[in-house]
Amino acid sequence: MANYSSNEFKSGLKVMLEGDPCSMVDVEFVKPGKGQAFTRVRMKNLKSGRVWDRTFKSGESIEAADVMDLNMEYLYTDGEFWHFMLADGTFEQYGADASAVGDCIKWLKEQEVYVVTLWNDAPISVMAPNFVDLEVTETDPGLKGDTAQGGSKPAILATGATVRVPLFIEQGEFLKIDTRSGEYVSRA
Amino acid sequence: MPWQPSANIHLLKQRAKVINQLRIFFAARDVLEVDTPVMSHYGVSDPHIDSIPVTFTADGTSVGKPMYLMSSPEYAMKRLLAAGSGCIYQISKAFRNGEAGRRHNPEFTLLEWYRVDFDLQQLMQEVASLVDMVLENDQLEWHFWSYRQAFENILNIDPLTATDEVIRSTALAHIDIQMQDSTPTDTWLDLLMSHCIEPKLPKACFIYNYPPSQAALSRIVEDERGDRVARRFEVYVNGMELANGYHELTQAQEQERRFALDNQARQAMGKAPMAADLRLINALQNGMPSCSGVALGIERLLMLTTGENDIAKVMAFNHPLA
């Protein structure tokens, strides 16, 4: 792969750091009036998700990472791998392991499209769309007429995720969930 | 190709107003406005500032003479002081190679001024008055910390007496960076300053009395604890460097020594040496009055007054649009 020099750094750039693929979240040129120039980068490890600040000397260069974000449809799991299919019409399939799927497992729904990050052609992370519609599989019976305000109860969704929902929600309903906060938004 | 300015027109009106205020400020204090060349036969020797070279050709032929766009009007203004100008100021374009980012543009505007017979404290007070005037309703509470105090308060180390090893390990404990063992101590101090200290300074703060190795063109004296310090200050507001000032060095011989030290540092960094500006040396030999001087970034000041955090928003056309 190519190398990037510090003056080419910009947010979104994917690079290799200590053997792991990382993404630059934010890049800042730091230069005291009478001191040496540095480039300060907020870096995200794409495998572990860890975000931290790393500083580079001016002119320092690092290796580019062969990383791609692709839209893929979730198909099924065999218990060991979660299988996705490219949403570009090629039907090419990829199996992501538990560490790549990570927290996204709570929001995996068949036929929904996810962003799968490939490193050297293998999935390393899966990101859910901001909103998914999921069925309530288990919750206490709804309280009729209590639609105005206040009160919430836990509900278990088809994916196994538990979210707080208003008291009027019934088992079997489909709900719109914000996957970033894990919160109920509305009935779907 | 985008053609529109990087700043909106309302902001350019604010910019014009601030520059007008600065001229009134100096006129009221009887400081003379001057205008020195932007293109010079000598560039700056400072190891961490790179002048932008240009080529002058007398008759348009291909054989040219290398010249430099000025990184600050300091040398020329000191020659005016030596010629008896009295107190002077200048609002001019300055150029620095390799400096581009949210707080840097390779071409920017400097306000530089010199006050004859002012010591460092007097000039710091005047800088505070100037910033207060521009900020109008948002009066700042100014703090004055020595470089040592800043390190003691925030990192609990004394930068003037700590061993190189303590400074290096303190930096490595706070900052994720890979550096060679031969890295100069001043680089570690710069890293601590920009990464650990700047974000924790009081909102409006002067830092003064720098390590002698960071004197640049300031006088070196003994501080109250008997350690050698450079009579230099920096102004920080909201953790952003706004200005850099000196109780100016006036001795020609010491100036020559500093030029030589700069070039040693440049060569150690793999940079080409810069010829010493002999006109400045000659001016100092002739005699420059005791004075203090400061350079303040106009765009940084505008970022402060407008709350913008990208330098592009306070200049008509930033570097990519130039």
Side-chain angles (χ1 to χ4, degrees), chain A residues 7-164:
Chain A
N7 58 15
E8 298 172 291
F9 289 1
K10 59 182 180 192
S11 49
L13 211 63
K14 310 287 197 299
V15 295
M16 292 301 297
L17 215 53
E18 282 138 27
D20 278 354
C22 297
S23 174
M24 294 187 182
V25 180
D26 192 42
V27 178
E28 183 105 56
F29 174 76
V30 180
K31 166 83 171 71
K34 298 285 171 189
Q36 190 167 331
F38 296 99
T39 303
R40 199 171 177 184
V41 181
R42 175 142 298 175
M43 201 70 90
K44 181 180 183 183
N45 184 314
L46 292 173
K47 284 173 74 178
S48 66
R50 184 172 87 99
V51 174
W52 83 105
D53 288 329
R54 167 93 177 206
T55 300
F56 296 88
K57 283 173 290 186
S58 214
E60 194 171 341
S61 71
I62 41 175
E63 191 189 343
D66 180 13
V67 170
M68 277 182 297
D69 291 333
L70 296 171
N71 287 329
M72 296 193 200
E73 189 182 311
Y74 173 59
L75 301 175
Y76 66 97
T77 178
D78 57 22
E80 190 181 357
F81 288 97
W82 285 257
H83 296 273
F84 293 82
M85 181 178 72
L86 269 178
D88 62 358
T90 61
F91 304 109
E92 201 175 328
Q93 292 190 18
Y94 292 88
D97 64 13
S99 74
V101 173
D103 277 351
C104 191
I105 196 163
K106 289 190 296 190
W107 316 119
L108 282 184
K109 182 186 166 190
E110 286 168 22
Q111 293 175 330
E112 191 72 53
V113 174
Y114 297 79
V115 176
V116 177
T117 302
L118 298 182
W119 172 45
N120 294 336
D121 218 33
I124 50 165
S125 73
V126 178
M127 195 169 73
N130 291 343
F131 301 100
V132 287
D133 295 343
L134 295 168
E135 188 185 353
V136 178
T137 54
E138 201 184 320
T139 190
D140 291 339
L143 293 172
K144 289 276 182 258
D146 188 9
T147 55
Q149 56 170 338
S152 69
K153 59 179 181 179
I156 300 174
L157 307 176
T159 57
T162 302
V163 294
R164 301 293 302 181

Side-chain angles (χ1 to χ4, degrees), chain B residues 126-183:
Chain B
E126 189 165 72
V127 172
S129 304
L130 181 141
V131 174
D132 283 342
M133 171 198 67
V134 172
L135 286 183
E136 291 175 354
N137 298 322
D138 183 16
Q139 293 304 295
L140 298 168
E141 187 193 334
W142 291 98
H143 295 257
F144 296 83
W145 285 8
S146 69
Y147 189 88
R148 165 143 62 193
Q149 263 177 307
F151 276 74
E152 284 180 342
N153 289 352
I154 293 168
L155 290 167
N156 211 19
I157 62 168
D158 180 345
L160 299 177
T161 59
T163 62
D164 291 358
E165 181 48 35
V166 166
I167 291 168
R168 192 176 75 97
S169 60
T170 305
L172 286 174
H174 288 88
I175 304 161
D176 182 15
I177 187 168
Q178 290 194 326
M179 300 284 273
Q180 289 157 338
D181 290 343
S182 61
T183 300

Side-chain angles (χ1 to χ4, degrees), chain B residues 74-75 78 215-219 246-249 255 258:
Chain B
E74 180 162 7
Y75 298 169
K78 287 181 172 173
L217 301 188
S218 63
R219 293 180 193 200
Y246 308 134
H247 195 185
E248 301 290 348
L249 180 66
Q255 179 66 59
R258 303 265 178 106

Side-chain angles (χ1 to χ4, degrees), chain B residues 76-203:
Chain B
M77 289 180 82
K78 287 181 172 173
R79 285 160 60 194
L80 290 177
L81 287 159
S85 65
C87 300
I88 49 177
Y89 80 98
Q90 174 160 211
I91 296 171
S92 69
K93 285 300 170 82
F95 301 82
R96 295 185 185 179
N97 226 350
E99 300 192 13
R102 275 197 285 268
R103 291 177 175 181
H104 295 83
N105 198 69
E107 174 179 346
F108 63 104
T109 317
L110 263 187
L111 164 64
E112 183 147 333
W113 78 96
Y114 291 85
R115 296 293 250 141
V116 174
D117 291 334
F118 268 36
D119 62 18
L120 206 66
Q121 187 60 36
Q122 287 171 292
L123 187 61
M124 286 195 282
Q125 291 294 350
E126 189 165 72
V127 172
S129 304
L130 181 141
V131 174
D132 283 342
M133 171 198 67
V134 172
L135 286 183
E136 291 175 354
N137 298 322
D138 183 16
Q139 293 304 295
L140 298 168
E141 187 193 334
W142 291 98
H143 295 257
F144 296 83
W145 285 8
S146 69
Y147 189 88
R148 165 143 62 193
Q149 263 177 307
F151 276 74
E152 284 180 342
N153 289 352
I154 293 168
L155 290 167
N156 211 19
I157 62 168
D158 180 345
L160 299 177
T161 59
T163 62
D164 291 358
E165 181 48 35
V166 166
I167 291 168
R168 192 176 75 97
S169 60
T170 305
L172 286 174
H174 288 88
I175 304 161
D176 182 15
I177 187 168
Q178 290 194 326
M179 300 284 273
Q180 289 157 338
D181 290 343
S182 61
T183 300
T185 299
D186 281 323
T187 300
W188 293 115
L189 290 172
D190 282 347
L191 278 164
L192 286 169
M193 187 57 141
S194 58
H195 287 64
C196 305
I197 293 183
E198 284 178 17
K200 290 190 179 165
L201 289 175
K203 182 175 165 65

